[in-house]
Amino acid sequence: ETMILKTKWDQVIAAKELMRNLKTEIDSYKEIKKTCDEAMSEILRLQSDRFVSVVQSHLPEDWVFQIKLYDTDTKRRTFSMGLVRGGELHEALSGAEWASVTTAVAMAVAEINLPKDQPAVLIPEDRAWDGKTLSSVMRSFRNFNGQVIMASTIRPTGRAPAGWTIINMDEMSASWFIDEETADEDQEEASQEEVS
């Protein structure tokens, strides 16, 4: 019985020692995690600055793009992105701003990650452009080393931005129907001649 009790006592001592060691390891891992989090935050901040500058290069000059990784009010890490107006970061963007910003983000990702000789084609959503904004955005998209295809129900204000080919789909589609109507008329005339 004494031997059994001693064995059980040794197991309790060993379990206590294991718990003490695990607690030390947990504290050590927490400290390592905290250090890694701080390092990753700093790396992310440095890389986000570079990323923001690349995105900004594809937006109109009077638009200011920003990414926020830390909320000073709540003192917590966060992730927000958008345009700065009046010193405040605005994440809720108009349709045209949203289409422009997401396309500029895609341009930055392509520019950073794709080899220069690999083609990239981006097609932003048609988001109720006004002529002035459309013209400004088209000019800023010229910096992209790839193809951008935009659809809009209106033309850009002023002269067409250099480097862009504008296709009037009303005229283009009208020619398709004229060709079909002409072909139908020719076929009808040929049929009538055969009957005569």
PDB file of all heavy atoms in Angstrom, residues 21-54:
ATOM      1  N   ASN A  21       6.138  23.981 -15.572  1.00  0.00           N
ATOM      2  CA  ASN A  21       6.887  24.139 -16.833  1.00  0.00           C
ATOM      3  C   ASN A  21       5.995  24.663 -17.954  1.00  0.00           C
ATOM      4  O   ASN A  21       6.406  25.524 -18.741  1.00  0.00           O
ATOM      5  CB  ASN A  21       7.530  22.820 -17.250  1.00  0.00           C
ATOM      6  CG  ASN A  21       8.665  22.409 -16.332  1.00  0.00           C
ATOM      7  OD1 ASN A  21       9.228  23.250 -15.624  1.00  0.00           O
ATOM      8  ND2 ASN A  21       8.984  21.130 -16.315  1.00  0.00           N
ATOM      9  N   LEU A  22       4.758  24.139 -18.034  1.00  0.00           N
ATOM     10  CA  LEU A  22       3.832  24.591 -19.069  1.00  0.00           C
ATOM     11  C   LEU A  22       3.479  26.067 -18.878  1.00  0.00           C
ATOM     12  O   LEU A  22       3.396  26.824 -19.838  1.00  0.00           O
ATOM     13  CB  LEU A  22       2.557  23.741 -19.078  1.00  0.00           C
ATOM     14  CG  LEU A  22       2.702  22.323 -19.639  1.00  0.00           C
ATOM     15  CD1 LEU A  22       1.409  21.549 -19.450  1.00  0.00           C
ATOM     16  CD2 LEU A  22       3.088  22.365 -21.105  1.00  0.00           C
ATOM     17  N   LYS A  23       3.277  26.482 -17.610  1.00  0.00           N
ATOM     18  CA  LYS A  23       2.967  27.880 -17.343  1.00  0.00           C
ATOM     19  C   LYS A  23       4.122  28.774 -17.781  1.00  0.00           C
ATOM     20  O   LYS A  23       3.925  29.822 -18.387  1.00  0.00           O
ATOM     21  CB  LYS A  23       2.655  28.082 -15.853  1.00  0.00           C
ATOM     22  CG  LYS A  23       2.198  29.501 -15.550  1.00  0.00           C
ATOM     23  CD  LYS A  23       1.848  29.669 -14.101  1.00  0.00           C
ATOM     24  CE  LYS A  23       1.374  31.038 -13.736  1.00  0.00           C
ATOM     25  NZ  LYS A  23       1.876  32.161 -14.448  1.00  0.00           N
ATOM     26  N   THR A  24       5.353  28.336 -17.495  1.00  0.00           N
ATOM     27  CA  THR A  24       6.531  29.102 -17.929  1.00  0.00           C
ATOM     28  C   THR A  24       6.571  29.179 -19.448  1.00  0.00           C
ATOM     29  O   THR A  24       6.846  30.243 -20.015  1.00  0.00           O
ATOM     30  CB  THR A  24       7.821  28.442 -17.396  1.00  0.00           C
ATOM     31  OG1 THR A  24       7.732  28.336 -15.974  1.00  0.00           O
ATOM     32  CG2 THR A  24       9.055  29.240 -17.760  1.00  0.00           C
ATOM     33  N   GLU A  25       6.298  28.052 -20.115  1.00  0.00           N
ATOM     34  CA  GLU A  25       6.293  28.046 -21.581  1.00  0.00           C
ATOM     35  C   GLU A  25       5.185  28.947 -22.134  1.00  0.00           C
ATOM     36  O   GLU A  25       5.397  29.665 -23.108  1.00  0.00           O
ATOM     37  CB  GLU A  25       6.119  26.619 -22.109  1.00  0.00           C
ATOM     38  CG  GLU A  25       7.374  25.788 -22.005  1.00  0.00           C
ATOM     39  CD  GLU A  25       7.191  24.391 -22.577  1.00  0.00           C
ATOM     40  OE1 GLU A  25       6.266  24.190 -23.401  1.00  0.00           O
ATOM     41  OE2 GLU A  25       7.966  23.498 -22.200  1.00  0.00           O
ATOM     42  N   ILE A  26       4.009  28.900 -21.508  1.00  0.00           N
ATOM     43  CA  ILE A  26       2.888  29.741 -21.958  1.00  0.00           C
ATOM     44  C   ILE A  26       3.280  31.215 -21.857  1.00  0.00           C
ATOM     45  O   ILE A  26       3.075  31.991 -22.800  1.00  0.00           O
ATOM     46  CB  ILE A  26       1.612  29.447 -21.140  1.00  0.00           C
ATOM     47  CG1 ILE A  26       1.036  28.089 -21.543  1.00  0.00           C
ATOM     48  CG2 ILE A  26       0.574  30.544 -21.323  1.00  0.00           C
ATOM     49  CD1 ILE A  26      -0.071  27.588 -20.638  1.00  0.00           C
ATOM     50  N   ASP A  27       3.872  31.598 -20.726  1.00  0.00           N
ATOM     51  CA  ASP A  27       4.308  32.991 -20.563  1.00  0.00           C
ATOM     52  C   ASP A  27       5.353  33.358 -21.609  1.00  0.00           C
ATOM     53  O   ASP A  27       5.327  34.450 -22.188  1.00  0.00           O
ATOM     54  CB  ASP A  27       4.862  33.217 -19.147  1.00  0.00           C
ATOM     55  CG  ASP A  27       3.780  33.115 -18.073  1.00  0.00           C
ATOM     56  OD1 ASP A  27       2.580  33.232 -18.425  1.00  0.00           O
ATOM     57  OD2 ASP A  27       4.132  32.907 -16.887  1.00  0.00           O
ATOM     58  N   SER A  28       6.256  32.429 -21.868  1.00  0.00           N
ATOM     59  CA  SER A  28       7.294  32.664 -22.871  1.00  0.00           C
ATOM     60  C   SER A  28       6.677  32.805 -24.265  1.00  0.00           C
ATOM     61  O   SER A  28       7.031  33.714 -25.023  1.00  0.00           O
ATOM     62  CB  SER A  28       8.294  31.502 -22.853  1.00  0.00           C
ATOM     63  OG  SER A  28       9.230  31.647 -23.887  1.00  0.00           O
ATOM     64  N   TYR A  29       5.723  31.916 -24.599  1.00  0.00           N
ATOM     65  CA  TYR A  29       5.058  31.981 -25.908  1.00  0.00           C
ATOM     66  C   TYR A  29       4.245  33.271 -26.057  1.00  0.00           C
ATOM     67  O   TYR A  29       4.191  33.860 -27.130  1.00  0.00           O
ATOM     68  CB  TYR A  29       4.165  30.760 -26.136  1.00  0.00           C
ATOM     69  CG  TYR A  29       4.934  29.499 -26.455  1.00  0.00           C
ATOM     70  CD1 TYR A  29       4.602  28.296 -25.844  1.00  0.00           C
ATOM     71  CD2 TYR A  29       5.990  29.511 -27.347  1.00  0.00           C
ATOM     72  CE1 TYR A  29       5.309  27.133 -26.129  1.00  0.00           C
ATOM     73  CE2 TYR A  29       6.698  28.359 -27.628  1.00  0.00           C
ATOM     74  CZ  TYR A  29       6.359  27.162 -27.012  1.00  0.00           C
ATOM     75  OH  TYR A  29       7.050  26.031 -27.297  1.00  0.00           O
ATOM     76  N   LYS A  30       3.605  33.706 -24.969  1.00  0.00           N
ATOM     77  CA  LYS A  30       2.857  34.977 -25.018  1.00  0.00           C
ATOM     78  C   LYS A  30       3.788  36.135 -25.332  1.00  0.00           C
ATOM     79  O   LYS A  30       3.463  37.029 -26.113  1.00  0.00           O
ATOM     80  CB  LYS A  30       2.129  35.220 -23.689  1.00  0.00           C
ATOM     81  CG  LYS A  30       0.862  34.419 -23.523  1.00  0.00           C
ATOM     82  CD  LYS A  30       0.187  34.749 -22.199  1.00  0.00           C
ATOM     83  CE  LYS A  30      -1.075  33.933 -22.016  1.00  0.00           C
ATOM     84  NZ  LYS A  30      -1.704  34.175 -20.702  1.00  0.00           N
ATOM     85  N   GLU A  31       4.966  36.126 -24.695  1.00  0.00           N
ATOM     86  CA  GLU A  31       5.949  37.195 -24.945  1.00  0.00           C
ATOM     87  C   GLU A  31       6.450  37.131 -26.397  1.00  0.00           C
ATOM     88  O   GLU A  31       6.573  38.158 -27.063  1.00  0.00           O
ATOM     89  CB  GLU A  31       7.121  37.053 -23.963  1.00  0.00           C
ATOM     90  CG  GLU A  31       8.053  38.235 -23.952  1.00  0.00           C
ATOM     91  CD  GLU A  31       7.384  39.535 -23.553  1.00  0.00           C
ATOM     92  OE1 GLU A  31       6.475  39.524 -22.706  1.00  0.00           O
ATOM     93  OE2 GLU A  31       7.780  40.577 -24.117  1.00  0.00           O
ATOM     94  N   ILE A  32       6.708  35.917 -26.888  1.00  0.00           N
ATOM     95  CA  ILE A  32       7.137  35.752 -28.287  1.00  0.00           C
ATOM     96  C   ILE A  32       6.037  36.219 -29.234  1.00  0.00           C
ATOM     97  O   ILE A  32       6.298  36.920 -30.212  1.00  0.00           O
ATOM     98  CB  ILE A  32       7.528  34.276 -28.563  1.00  0.00           C
ATOM     99  CG1 ILE A  32       8.810  33.916 -27.819  1.00  0.00           C
ATOM    100  CG2 ILE A  32       7.683  34.034 -30.064  1.00  0.00           C
ATOM    101  CD1 ILE A  32       9.148  32.433 -27.827  1.00  0.00           C
ATOM    102  N   LYS A  33       4.778  35.852 -28.938  1.00  0.00           N
ATOM    103  CA  LYS A  33       3.653  36.261 -29.783  1.00  0.00           C
ATOM    104  C   LYS A  33       3.538  37.782 -29.820  1.00  0.00           C
ATOM    105  O   LYS A  33       3.349  38.379 -30.873  1.00  0.00           O
ATOM    106  CB  LYS A  33       2.345  35.649 -29.275  1.00  0.00           C
ATOM    107  CG  LYS A  33       1.131  36.031 -30.111  1.00  0.00           C
ATOM    108  CD  LYS A  33      -0.151  35.493 -29.504  1.00  0.00           C
ATOM    109  CE  LYS A  33      -1.371  35.829 -30.315  1.00  0.00           C
ATOM    110  NZ  LYS A  33      -1.604  37.238 -30.547  1.00  0.00           N
ATOM    111  N   LYS A  34       3.676  38.409 -28.646  1.00  0.00           N
ATOM    112  CA  LYS A  34       3.587  39.872 -28.577  1.00  0.00           C
ATOM    113  C   LYS A  34       4.687  40.514 -29.428  1.00  0.00           C
ATOM    114  O   LYS A  34       4.440  41.439 -30.198  1.00  0.00           O
ATOM    115  CB  LYS A  34       3.704  40.332 -27.118  1.00  0.00           C
ATOM    116  CG  LYS A  34       3.601  41.825 -26.935  1.00  0.00           C
ATOM    117  CD  LYS A  34       3.768  42.205 -25.479  1.00  0.00           C
ATOM    118  CE  LYS A  34       3.848  43.718 -25.371  1.00  0.00           C
ATOM    119  NZ  LYS A  34       4.416  44.161 -24.118  1.00  0.00           N
ATOM    120  N   THR A  35       5.898  39.989 -29.323  1.00  0.00           N
ATOM    121  CA  THR A  35       7.023  40.516 -30.104  1.00  0.00           C
ATOM    122  C   THR A  35       6.782  40.312 -31.599  1.00  0.00           C
ATOM    123  O   THR A  35       7.017  41.221 -32.406  1.00  0.00           O
ATOM    124  CB  THR A  35       8.344  39.834 -29.675  1.00  0.00           C
ATOM    125  OG1 THR A  35       8.525  40.030 -28.267  1.00  0.00           O
ATOM    126  CG2 THR A  35       9.521  40.387 -30.426  1.00  0.00           C
ATOM    127  N   CYS A  36       6.295  39.120 -31.974  1.00  0.00           N
ATOM    128  CA  CYS A  36       6.003  38.833 -33.393  1.00  0.00           C
ATOM    129  C   CYS A  36       4.884  39.739 -33.914  1.00  0.00           C
ATOM    130  O   CYS A  36       4.971  40.248 -35.036  1.00  0.00           O
ATOM    131  CB  CYS A  36       5.622  37.371 -33.584  1.00  0.00           C
ATOM    132  SG  CYS A  36       7.005  36.239 -33.433  1.00  0.00           S
ATOM    133  N   ASP A  37       3.848  39.935 -33.099  1.00  0.00           N
ATOM    134  CA  ASP A  37       2.750  40.827 -33.506  1.00  0.00           C
ATOM    135  C   ASP A  37       3.259  42.242 -33.760  1.00  0.00           C
ATOM    136  O   ASP A  37       2.891  42.886 -34.745  1.00  0.00           O
ATOM    137  CB  ASP A  37       1.649  40.867 -32.441  1.00  0.00           C
ATOM    138  CG  ASP A  37       0.785  39.612 -32.450  1.00  0.00           C
ATOM    139  OD1 ASP A  37       0.890  38.814 -33.407  1.00  0.00           O
ATOM    140  OD2 ASP A  37       0.006  39.437 -31.488  1.00  0.00           O
ATOM    141  N   GLU A  38       4.114  42.723 -32.864  1.00  0.00           N
ATOM    142  CA  GLU A  38       4.661  44.069 -33.026  1.00  0.00           C
ATOM    143  C   GLU A  38       5.521  44.152 -34.287  1.00  0.00           C
ATOM    144  O   GLU A  38       5.435  45.120 -35.047  1.00  0.00           O
ATOM    145  CB  GLU A  38       5.474  44.469 -31.789  1.00  0.00           C
ATOM    146  CG  GLU A  38       4.619  44.744 -30.568  1.00  0.00           C
ATOM    147  CD  GLU A  38       5.431  44.894 -29.284  1.00  0.00           C
ATOM    148  OE1 GLU A  38       6.684  44.807 -29.343  1.00  0.00           O
ATOM    149  OE2 GLU A  38       4.810  45.097 -28.222  1.00  0.00           O
ATOM    150  N   ALA A  39       6.343  43.122 -34.498  1.00  0.00           N
ATOM    151  CA  ALA A  39       7.199  43.102 -35.696  1.00  0.00           C
ATOM    152  C   ALA A  39       6.355  43.046 -36.966  1.00  0.00           C
ATOM    153  O   ALA A  39       6.616  43.775 -37.934  1.00  0.00           O
ATOM    154  CB  ALA A  39       8.160  41.920 -35.634  1.00  0.00           C
ATOM    155  N   MET A  40       5.330  42.192 -36.970  1.00  0.00           N
ATOM    156  CA  MET A  40       4.457  42.074 -38.152  1.00  0.00           C
ATOM    157  C   MET A  40       3.691  43.370 -38.394  1.00  0.00           C
ATOM    158  O   MET A  40       3.527  43.788 -39.542  1.00  0.00           O
ATOM    159  CB  MET A  40       3.478  40.906 -37.993  1.00  0.00           C
ATOM    160  CG  MET A  40       4.122  39.541 -38.072  1.00  0.00           C
ATOM    161  SD  MET A  40       5.026  39.279 -39.603  1.00  0.00           S
ATOM    162  CE  MET A  40       3.711  39.294 -40.787  1.00  0.00           C
ATOM    163  N   SER A  41       3.252  44.014 -37.333  1.00  0.00           N
ATOM    164  CA  SER A  41       2.559  45.297 -37.486  1.00  0.00           C
ATOM    165  C   SER A  41       3.469  46.327 -38.121  1.00  0.00           C
ATOM    166  O   SER A  41       3.068  47.083 -39.001  1.00  0.00           O
ATOM    167  CB  SER A  41       2.067  45.817 -36.131  1.00  0.00           C
ATOM    168  OG  SER A  41       1.053  44.998 -35.638  1.00  0.00           O
ATOM    169  N   GLU A  42       4.734  46.354 -37.677  1.00  0.00           N
ATOM    170  CA  GLU A  42       5.691  47.320 -38.234  1.00  0.00           C
ATOM    171  C   GLU A  42       6.000  46.996 -39.699  1.00  0.00           C
ATOM    172  O   GLU A  42       6.043  47.886 -40.548  1.00  0.00           O
ATOM    173  CB  GLU A  42       6.980  47.323 -37.394  1.00  0.00           C
ATOM    174  CG  GLU A  42       8.009  48.330 -37.833  1.00  0.00           C
ATOM    175  CD  GLU A  42       7.528  49.778 -37.756  1.00  0.00           C
ATOM    176  OE1 GLU A  42       6.509  50.062 -37.101  1.00  0.00           O
ATOM    177  OE2 GLU A  42       8.190  50.639 -38.366  1.00  0.00           O
ATOM    178  N   ILE A  43       6.183  45.701 -39.993  1.00  0.00           N
ATOM    179  CA  ILE A  43       6.425  45.293 -41.391  1.00  0.00           C
ATOM    180  C   ILE A  43       5.219  45.650 -42.246  1.00  0.00           C
ATOM    181  O   ILE A  43       5.365  46.203 -43.338  1.00  0.00           O
ATOM    182  CB  ILE A  43       6.737  43.780 -41.474  1.00  0.00           C
ATOM    183  CG1 ILE A  43       8.106  43.489 -40.860  1.00  0.00           C
ATOM    184  CG2 ILE A  43       6.678  43.282 -42.911  1.00  0.00           C
ATOM    185  CD1 ILE A  43       8.389  42.026 -40.635  1.00  0.00           C
ATOM    186  N   LEU A  44       4.038  45.352 -41.745  1.00  0.00           N
ATOM    187  CA  LEU A  44       2.815  45.664 -42.478  1.00  0.00           C
ATOM    188  C   LEU A  44       2.669  47.166 -42.678  1.00  0.00           C
ATOM    189  O   LEU A  44       2.306  47.628 -43.754  1.00  0.00           O
ATOM    190  CB  LEU A  44       1.599  45.101 -41.734  1.00  0.00           C
ATOM    191  CG  LEU A  44       0.268  45.167 -42.445  1.00  0.00           C
ATOM    192  CD1 LEU A  44       0.322  44.457 -43.792  1.00  0.00           C
ATOM    193  CD2 LEU A  44      -0.826  44.564 -41.582  1.00  0.00           C
ATOM    194  N   ARG A  45       3.007  47.948 -41.648  1.00  0.00           N
ATOM    195  CA  ARG A  45       2.925  49.404 -41.779  1.00  0.00           C
ATOM    196  C   ARG A  45       3.883  49.898 -42.856  1.00  0.00           C
ATOM    197  O   ARG A  45       3.511  50.694 -43.720  1.00  0.00           O
ATOM    198  CB  ARG A  45       3.253  50.084 -40.450  1.00  0.00           C
ATOM    199  CG  ARG A  45       3.037  51.598 -40.484  1.00  0.00           C
ATOM    200  CD  ARG A  45       3.626  52.279 -39.270  1.00  0.00           C
ATOM    201  NE  ARG A  45       5.061  52.149 -39.164  1.00  0.00           N
ATOM    202  CZ  ARG A  45       5.953  52.823 -39.911  1.00  0.00           C
ATOM    203  NH1 ARG A  45       5.536  53.647 -40.838  1.00  0.00           N
ATOM    204  NH2 ARG A  45       7.246  52.651 -39.752  1.00  0.00           N
ATOM    205  N   LEU A  46       5.112  49.393 -42.834  1.00  0.00           N
ATOM    206  CA  LEU A  46       6.094  49.814 -43.839  1.00  0.00           C
ATOM    207  C   LEU A  46       5.647  49.412 -45.242  1.00  0.00           C
ATOM    208  O   LEU A  46       5.751  50.193 -46.189  1.00  0.00           O
ATOM    209  CB  LEU A  46       7.467  49.217 -43.527  1.00  0.00           C
ATOM    210  CG  LEU A  46       8.149  49.749 -42.264  1.00  0.00           C
ATOM    211  CD1 LEU A  46       9.394  48.939 -41.946  1.00  0.00           C
ATOM    212  CD2 LEU A  46       8.490  51.218 -42.409  1.00  0.00           C
ATOM    213  N   GLN A  47       5.153  48.175 -45.363  1.00  0.00           N
ATOM    214  CA  GLN A  47       4.706  47.715 -46.673  1.00  0.00           C
ATOM    215  C   GLN A  47       3.421  48.426 -47.096  1.00  0.00           C
ATOM    216  O   GLN A  47       3.214  48.677 -48.274  1.00  0.00           O
ATOM    217  CB  GLN A  47       4.490  46.192 -46.672  1.00  0.00           C
ATOM    218  CG  GLN A  47       5.777  45.404 -46.616  1.00  0.00           C
ATOM    219  CD  GLN A  47       6.716  45.748 -47.756  1.00  0.00           C
ATOM    220  OE1 GLN A  47       6.331  45.797 -48.912  1.00  0.00           O
ATOM    221  NE2 GLN A  47       7.970  46.012 -47.429  1.00  0.00           N
ATOM    222  N   SER A  48       2.560  48.751 -46.129  1.00  0.00           N
ATOM    223  CA  SER A  48       1.325  49.445 -46.492  1.00  0.00           C
ATOM    224  C   SER A  48       1.625  50.845 -47.011  1.00  0.00           C
ATOM    225  O   SER A  48       0.960  51.333 -47.911  1.00  0.00           O
ATOM    226  CB  SER A  48       0.337  49.492 -45.322  1.00  0.00           C
ATOM    227  OG  SER A  48       0.746  50.422 -44.359  1.00  0.00           O
ATOM    228  N   ASP A  49       2.681  51.480 -46.475  1.00  0.00           N
ATOM    229  CA  ASP A  49       3.076  52.794 -46.987  1.00  0.00           C
ATOM    230  C   ASP A  49       3.467  52.682 -48.463  1.00  0.00           C
ATOM    231  O   ASP A  49       3.069  53.514 -49.282  1.00  0.00           O
ATOM    232  CB  ASP A  49       4.235  53.378 -46.178  1.00  0.00           C
ATOM    233  CG  ASP A  49       3.828  53.791 -44.763  1.00  0.00           C
ATOM    234  OD1 ASP A  49       2.604  53.852 -44.494  1.00  0.00           O
ATOM    235  OD2 ASP A  49       4.723  54.037 -43.935  1.00  0.00           O
ATOM    236  N   ARG A  50       4.221  51.656 -48.792  1.00  0.00           N
ATOM    237  CA  ARG A  50       4.620  51.436 -50.188  1.00  0.00           C
ATOM    238  C   ARG A  50       3.390  51.146 -51.038  1.00  0.00           C
ATOM    239  O   ARG A  50       3.219  51.688 -52.132  1.00  0.00           O
ATOM    240  CB  ARG A  50       5.608  50.273 -50.276  1.00  0.00           C
ATOM    241  CG  ARG A  50       5.989  49.923 -51.702  1.00  0.00           C
ATOM    242  CD  ARG A  50       7.037  48.816 -51.745  1.00  0.00           C
ATOM    243  NE  ARG A  50       7.273  48.440 -53.113  1.00  0.00           N
ATOM    244  CZ  ARG A  50       7.081  47.219 -53.590  1.00  0.00           C
ATOM    245  NH1 ARG A  50       6.670  46.251 -52.795  1.00  0.00           N
ATOM    246  NH2 ARG A  50       7.306  46.937 -54.847  1.00  0.00           N
ATOM    247  N   PHE A  51       2.519  50.274 -50.527  1.00  0.00           N
ATOM    248  CA  PHE A  51       1.313  49.897 -51.259  1.00  0.00           C
ATOM    249  C   PHE A  51       0.423  51.119 -51.500  1.00  0.00           C
ATOM    250  O   PHE A  51      -0.089  51.329 -52.594  1.00  0.00           O
ATOM    251  CB  PHE A  51       0.554  48.814 -50.486  1.00  0.00           C
ATOM    252  CG  PHE A  51      -0.645  48.283 -51.195  1.00  0.00           C
ATOM    253  CD1 PHE A  51      -0.515  47.425 -52.261  1.00  0.00           C
ATOM    254  CD2 PHE A  51      -1.921  48.649 -50.790  1.00  0.00           C
ATOM    255  CE1 PHE A  51      -1.620  46.931 -52.930  1.00  0.00           C
ATOM    256  CE2 PHE A  51      -3.038  48.166 -51.443  1.00  0.00           C
ATOM    257  CZ  PHE A  51      -2.877  47.298 -52.511  1.00  0.00           C
ATOM    258  N   VAL A  52       0.252  51.949 -50.464  1.00  0.00           N
ATOM    259  CA  VAL A  52      -0.564  53.155 -50.577  1.00  0.00           C
ATOM    260  C   VAL A  52       0.006  54.066 -51.662  1.00  0.00           C
ATOM    261  O   VAL A  52      -0.741  54.632 -52.464  1.00  0.00           O
ATOM    262  CB  VAL A  52      -0.669  53.892 -49.222  1.00  0.00           C
ATOM    263  CG1 VAL A  52      -1.195  55.306 -49.385  1.00  0.00           C
ATOM    264  CG2 VAL A  52      -1.562  53.114 -48.270  1.00  0.00           C
ATOM    265  N   SER A  53       1.319  54.214 -51.711  1.00  0.00           N
ATOM    266  CA  SER A  53       1.916  55.096 -52.719  1.00  0.00           C
ATOM    267  C   SER A  53       1.698  54.550 -54.128  1.00  0.00           C
ATOM    268  O   SER A  53       1.463  55.320 -55.064  1.00  0.00           O
ATOM    269  CB  SER A  53       3.395  55.335 -52.445  1.00  0.00           C
ATOM    270  OG  SER A  53       4.150  54.177 -52.679  1.00  0.00           O
ATOM    271  N   VAL A  54       1.734  53.230 -54.289  1.00  0.00           N
ATOM    272  CA  VAL A  54       1.487  52.641 -55.616  1.00  0.00           C
ATOM    273  C   VAL A  54       0.020  52.836 -56.005  1.00  0.00           C
ATOM    274  O   VAL A  54      -0.282  53.218 -57.137  1.00  0.00           O
ATOM    275  CB  VAL A  54       1.885  51.142 -55.656  1.00  0.00           C
ATOM    276  CG1 VAL A  54       1.519  50.521 -56.991  1.00  0.00           C
ATOM    277  CG2 VAL A  54       3.373  50.974 -55.393  1.00  0.00           C
TER     278      VAL A  54
END
